[in-house]
Amino acid sequence: YPPYEFSCEPGTRVTINNAPHDWVNYFKCGYKGAVDAIDCALPEGMQCLMDGSVPSSAGLSSSSAFVCCAALATMKVNGRLLSKRDVVATAVASERYIGTNGGGMDQTTSIMSQSQSAVFIEFDPKLEITPVKFPSTTPPIAFVIANTLVVSDKAVTAPVCYNLRVVETRIGALILAKHLGIADRPACKDVDPLTFKIVMDEYFTGSENASSVDSVQTWIDRLSAMLTAADQAFGAHPTGYTREEMATALDMSPADLGAKVHEDLFPVRADRFQLLQRAQHAFSEALRVVRFRQICESGDARTDYFSALGDLMNQSQDSCRDLFECSCAEIDELCAIARNAGSFGSRLTGAGWGGCTVHLVPQDKVDEFMAIIREQFYAKHVPGMDEEALSDALFVTTPGNGAAFYTFE
């Protein structure tokens, strides 16, 4: 990571050249976003020393953490801090300068996480987080991170991986809205981008008052209905759509469709677009998240939490592999080894196509579990790996707080 120096020019602010995939571009993203967000005409000069322990290109949100850090530092130096929600919005928009059409989960957790809790995130109609405490068990629940060491640089592979999945789900949302007869409603017509979540909310507008019933059960009922609707909307194309078929379904030209999903900014490459499988994954994955929350909040002493939560994680990995197609051979192998070694639930974490996996393990079995992973995965794939490298690749983690400032005097 060589040192870099750049200047903030009036008007253009900062130029971000993605052709060389340099680490400093992520800092520039956060810096540019922050300067724009606080409308700072003459930002203060900064000398920054960057350090971190999150592996890069490993599915652990290192890029988002870096962008959030750069944005916060820039705001702090220039004497204007925004609210946490505004910092999240700034970081989400900023990271897209790198060329990846990302969402907002990574940035939200980087800023708004709470110790010892998972975070249930809702983006529409506005950003809301609900801390979800993990259930008390004997032995306690532990989460082990294991890195496949397959580098997954989503900015480099975006046209055929990350950005392609974004385009598939965005076009899927457009076609699903039309199938449900709500495409011309302002909530769907006047929003950019249209997402599956917005389609679901608009379809159920005017139905039962969610505040009068169990909100988690409302999520479950609506997501289940959307799975059925997706099968009906896309089932006639089980092997995918061509660009022409998608454009015809939306009564527009292929060029207009490309403009609609901003392919000028985030280009993709594909012969066929798998809308059915992506919709099935999106709605079923959201359903698993809601059920995970429901189990954690149940407080039912009769529940086998390890099996109940682990089964959802395993189903998630199967869906990532088969429906969203964002797994890889090494992830599949590592998850299989982990399940045989005592993990109740194993799945990829992050965008996929490499990087890290996460495993739900009883705390009193962690040492035994990690020894098996070392022997059966790392000794096979990286013989002679030293202890420091192993410790960086395989470790226990617990949920921590989001970003904070430390002042030294």
Side-chain angles (χ1 to χ4, degrees):
Y1 298 96
Y4 280 93
E5 181 176 326
F6 65 89
S7 58
C8 182
E9 304 294 340
T12 58
R13 305 283 198 192
V14 175
T15 300
I16 300 173
N17 179 9
N18 292 325
H21 189 64
D22 291 327
W23 71 268
V24 74
N25 285 343
Y26 289 98
F27 186 92
K28 286 182 176 180
C29 284
Y31 179 87
K32 176 178 172 61
V35 169
D36 288 343
I38 62 177
D39 194 22
C40 184
L42 295 171
E44 296 286 343
M46 301 167 62
Q47 289 184 318
C48 302
L49 177 65
M50 310 302 297
D51 191 20
S53 59
V54 182
S56 63
S57 302
L60 294 179
S61 308
S62 60
S63 59
S64 296
F66 197 1
V67 172
C68 288
C69 176
L72 282 168
T74 303
M75 293 177 190
K76 181 73 169 178
V77 166
N78 288 281
R80 186 178 173 196
L81 289 176
L82 303 180
S83 69
K84 286 187 175 183
R85 282 180 173 80
D86 288 339
V87 172
V88 169
T90 297
V92 170
S94 300
E95 193 167 340
R96 291 177 183 147
Y97 292 134
I98 209 71
T100 302
N101 194 4
M105 287 195 300
D106 294 353
Q107 297 87 351
T108 304
T109 52
S110 289
I111 298 297
M112 303 180 78
S113 287
Q114 295 187 21
S115 180
Q116 303 304 314
S117 295
V119 180
F120 183 85
I121 307 171
E122 301 172 71
F123 290 104
D124 188 83
K126 65 177 181 178
L127 177 62
E128 296 285 355
I129 69 158
T130 303
V132 178
K133 292 285 186 182
F134 291 105
S136 177
T137 60
T138 304
I141 290 172
F143 289 98
V144 178
I145 300 296
N147 193 343
T148 64
L149 304 177
V150 175
V151 174
S152 174
D153 198 324
K154 61 186 181 184
V156 174
T157 62
V160 293
C161 293
Y162 193 94
N163 285 357
L164 177 57
R165 294 299 179 273
V166 174
V167 165
E168 287 174 317
T169 56
R170 297 281 164 79
I171 295 175
L174 292 167
I175 294 177
L176 182 59
K178 185 176 179 183
H179 170 78
L180 295 172
I182 60 175
D184 290 331
R185 295 185 187 178
C188 294
K189 186 178 181 180
D190 299 336
V191 67
D192 183 20
L194 182 64
T195 65
F196 283 134
K197 170 63 162 56
I198 295 172
V199 171
M200 181 181 75
D201 287 348
E202 182 59 25
Y203 182 68
F204 286 103
T205 296
S207 61
E208 78 276 6
N209 183 0
S211 64
S212 64
V213 296
D214 182 349
S215 62
V216 173
Q217 188 58 49
T218 298
W219 271 94
I220 291 173
D221 293 343
R222 293 181 176 185
L223 288 166
S224 299
M226 285 296 102
L227 276 168
T228 300
D231 289 343
Q232 295 169 346
F234 308 117
H237 293 79
T239 60
Y241 289 71
T242 64
R243 286 182 180 272
E244 291 72 19
E245 288 170 334
M246 294 188 300
T248 298
L250 293 167
D251 300 320
M252 61 176 64
S253 69
D256 288 342
L257 178 58
K260 179 74 173 176
V261 295
H262 304 295
E263 283 195 63
D264 56 329
L265 298 176
F266 308 105
V268 301
R269 299 193 302 271
D271 294 324
R272 302 191 73 83
F273 295 75
Q274 307 298 330
L275 306 190
L276 172 64
Q277 293 84 349
R278 309 315 181 221
Q280 288 174 327
H281 172 77
F283 287 121
S284 66
E285 187 77 340
L287 189 55
R288 283 184 287 272
V289 169
V290 174
R291 285 179 169 153
F292 196 102
R293 173 185 171 182
Q294 185 182 49
I295 292 167
C296 287
E297 294 177 341
S298 67
D300 188 345
R302 298 169 297 176
T303 300
D304 180 350
Y305 288 110
F306 284 98
S307 295
L309 298 177
D311 285 349
L312 291 173
M313 292 177 64
N314 291 331
Q315 292 168 23
S316 175
Q317 172 58 26
D318 292 347
S319 184
C320 287
R321 180 192 64 219
D322 300 333
L323 296 178
F324 214 59
E325 296 181 280
C326 62
S327 189
C328 67
E330 292 82 359
I331 289 175
D332 297 339
E333 178 188 359
L334 183 46
C335 286
I337 293 171
R339 291 168 188 171
N340 289 331
S343 169
F344 280 83
S346 297
R347 70 179 300 276
L348 61 82
T349 182
W353 295 287
C356 286
T357 55
V358 59
H359 310 274
L360 191 158
V361 181
Q363 193 174 79
D364 63 349
K365 301 293 185 183
V366 165
D367 290 343
E368 177 184 345
F369 171 81
M370 293 174 67
I372 294 173
I373 299 299
R374 286 183 175 217
E375 176 185 350
Q376 296 187 15
F377 185 82
Y378 292 109
K380 171 186 173 182
H381 289 277
V382 196
M385 194 173 183
D386 63 42
E387 190 61 33
E388 182 179 358
L390 272 169
S391 298
D392 288 341
L394 181 66
F395 53 90
V396 183
T397 186
T398 55
N401 287 316
F405 291 102
Y406 289 84
T407 302
F408 298 93
E409 296 182 358

